[in-house]
Amino acid sequence: MTPHPFFTGITCALIVLTALPSCTPGTTPVSQAVTVIDDNSLRSDFEKKLGELAVSQKPTPHATLKKQLQRKSCKLALPATGSKQLTPAQVYQQRLGSTLMLGRLHRCASSKCKKAHANIASGVVIREDGIVLTNHHVVDGESPRTFAMGAMTHDGRAFLIEEVLAADEKADVAILKLKDAKGLSAAPIFGDEPVGNPVTIISNPTGKFFTLTQGYVSRYTVSPT
């Protein structure tokens, strides 16, 4: 499957078409349970759990994953295209489980520090057996001390990256396979939407994990050669 053009230009985010919320004058929306995010705890769990997996399993070398970025296509059976419009609150409630912390684990530059450190970006599950989307540059980034790549769900399940199935540098997208993953929450893929349509994004910008933002489809483009 050639990477879908809908994902062109995503900034390490889960992008879902939504409808703007509406309220009848004089009514109060029903309150929902508040999800509290502890960034420090999530980062610590990511580093600890992926570090343990890198010891108990054999991680795919980062150099191998980078070579696999040359794969231009793959065949995948995917769930049916989504069509339901959701409010931003519904997107967060229903798609939080599809959003991943995804990144590289590297050894500290200090010889006195034995702890693994992580560069964490974002990804999204598109099939329950561990097929995920992220950005090309997340895999391609340089780090000579990288010894593993992996992902973690909001509820703390961690997985190593097994391989890159296909990638497109211009579209800045990569399709990855998680090792030994099953029963994940997959987000449906939507078709291309007209410029100007609203989108809601769950992402991990600069260490602020599982952040919700909203905007519009601004344009479709590819990176310059």
Side-chain angles (χ1 to χ4, degrees):
M1 183 190 82
T2 301
H4 198 288
F6 175 63
F7 292 98
T8 299
I10 62 172
T11 308
C12 289
L14 166 61
I15 300 181
V16 183
L17 176 65
T18 69
L20 293 174
S22 60
C23 297
T24 304
T27 65
T28 302
V30 177
S31 61
Q32 300 289 337
V34 175
T35 300
V36 178
I37 303 298
D38 185 335
D39 292 326
N40 290 335
S41 178
L42 285 169
R43 175 175 288 278
S44 178
D45 280 354
F46 184 95
E47 293 171 342
K48 179 177 183 292
K49 290 179 179 179
L50 286 176
E52 291 173 347
L53 283 178
V55 172
S56 63
Q57 303 177 16
K58 184 178 180 180
T60 303
H62 188 217
T64 299
L65 294 174
K66 291 184 66 170
K67 288 181 181 179
Q68 292 172 349
L69 289 171
Q70 300 302 315
R71 297 173 176 176
K72 300 303 181 184
S73 65
C74 64
K75 293 183 179 180
L76 289 176
L78 295 174
T81 301
S83 60
K84 184 179 179 181
Q85 291 186 328
L86 304 173
T87 67
Q90 289 172 328
V91 170
Y92 202 74
Q93 293 157 16
Q94 298 182 28
R95 304 294 181 238
L96 187 62
S98 305
T99 309
L100 298 171
M101 298 168 61
L102 190 152
R104 303 189 302 274
L105 212 59
H106 60 271
R107 296 180 177 85
C108 187
S110 172
S111 59
K112 297 181 180 179
C113 177
K114 303 302 181 181
K115 182 181 176 182
H117 300 278
N119 294 329
I120 304 174
S122 306
V124 57
V125 179
I126 60 171
R127 214 168 69 176
E128 65 176 13
D129 60 347
I131 306 300
V132 305
L133 284 175
T134 190
N135 290 108
H136 183 284
H137 71 261
V138 172
V139 182
D140 196 37
E142 292 292 340
S143 180
R145 296 182 302 278
T146 295
F147 63 92
M149 283 200 72
M152 190 175 80
T153 61
H154 174 259
D155 61 4
R157 287 176 290 171
F159 308 92
L160 294 174
I161 304 298
E162 185 172 5
E163 66 175 317
V164 178
L165 300 179
D168 188 322
E169 184 175 10
K170 287 187 176 181
D172 196 19
V173 66
I175 304 174
L176 312 179
K177 176 73 172 69
L178 303 183
K179 184 177 178 64
D180 298 331
K182 60 181 179 179
L184 299 181
S185 176
I189 294 179
F190 286 73
D192 297 336
E193 294 298 325
V195 170
N197 271 17
V199 291
T200 296
I201 299 170
I202 306 173
S203 63
N204 304 317
T206 59
K208 296 177 176 61
F209 304 121
F210 303 107
T211 296
L212 182 85
T213 55
Q214 190 173 41
Y216 298 89
V217 178
S218 57
R219 66 172 181 161
Y220 289 94
T221 184
V222 295
S223 301
T225 55

